[in-house]
Amino acid sequence: MSKPGKARYRLSAVKASYVEAVGGDVVEVETDDGKVYMFPHPLFADDETNKAIDAAEGDAGKARALLGNQWDAYVKSGGDANGVMLVFLAVRAEMQDTMGKHRPPRQ
């Protein structure tokens, strides 16, 4: 039992509230041919993905790290690295706005 006046957060409730606040734990990118590709939302990316993005050089390397084994199909659909990175940056900007306004539930 927590002490009076101390904040207690249930991890599952906090994560669920942020998933809802930012619109999901994955980001979908649709190419002009209607195919959809996904990468983890920056707020929920695992350590391995974050390390791969940080270690990657240039937009092409970072986009490949984000899309993983979807990369070749994404390029065949007309996508390019710049497109993925523009979406990634837009999602991060929206996330920062949301984080400033969102308050997770206490339990």
Side-chain angles (χ1 to χ4, degrees):
M1 182 167 215
S2 66
K3 296 178 182 178
K6 295 287 182 177
R8 176 182 281 190
Y9 297 90
R10 183 175 306 274
L11 293 178
S12 60
V14 170
K15 182 176 180 182
S17 76
Y18 278 107
V19 168
E20 184 177 337
V22 299
D25 58 357
V26 296
V27 176
E28 296 182 349
V29 178
E30 183 177 346
T31 52
D32 289 340
D33 64 0
K35 294 183 180 167
V36 177
Y37 302 90
M38 296 178 284
F39 61 84
H41 190 286
L43 187 60
F44 303 106
D46 60 25
D47 286 344
E48 184 178 319
T49 301
N50 285 327
K51 286 178 185 177
I53 294 167
D54 290 344
E57 292 191 26
D59 284 353
K62 292 181 187 315
R64 284 177 190 258
L66 282 167
L67 291 179
N69 61 6
Q70 303 171 90
W71 175 253
D72 290 336
Y74 170 76
V75 171
K76 286 179 186 173
S77 289
D80 61 11
N82 185 257
V84 173
M85 296 313 298
L86 287 172
V87 171
F88 184 74
L89 291 173
V91 168
R92 286 181 59 105
E94 285 180 15
M95 177 184 73
Q96 288 175 342
D97 288 344
T98 299
M99 297 294 285
K101 299 172 190 168
H102 182 70
R103 297 292 174 253
R106 288 188 181 189
Q107 294 196 354

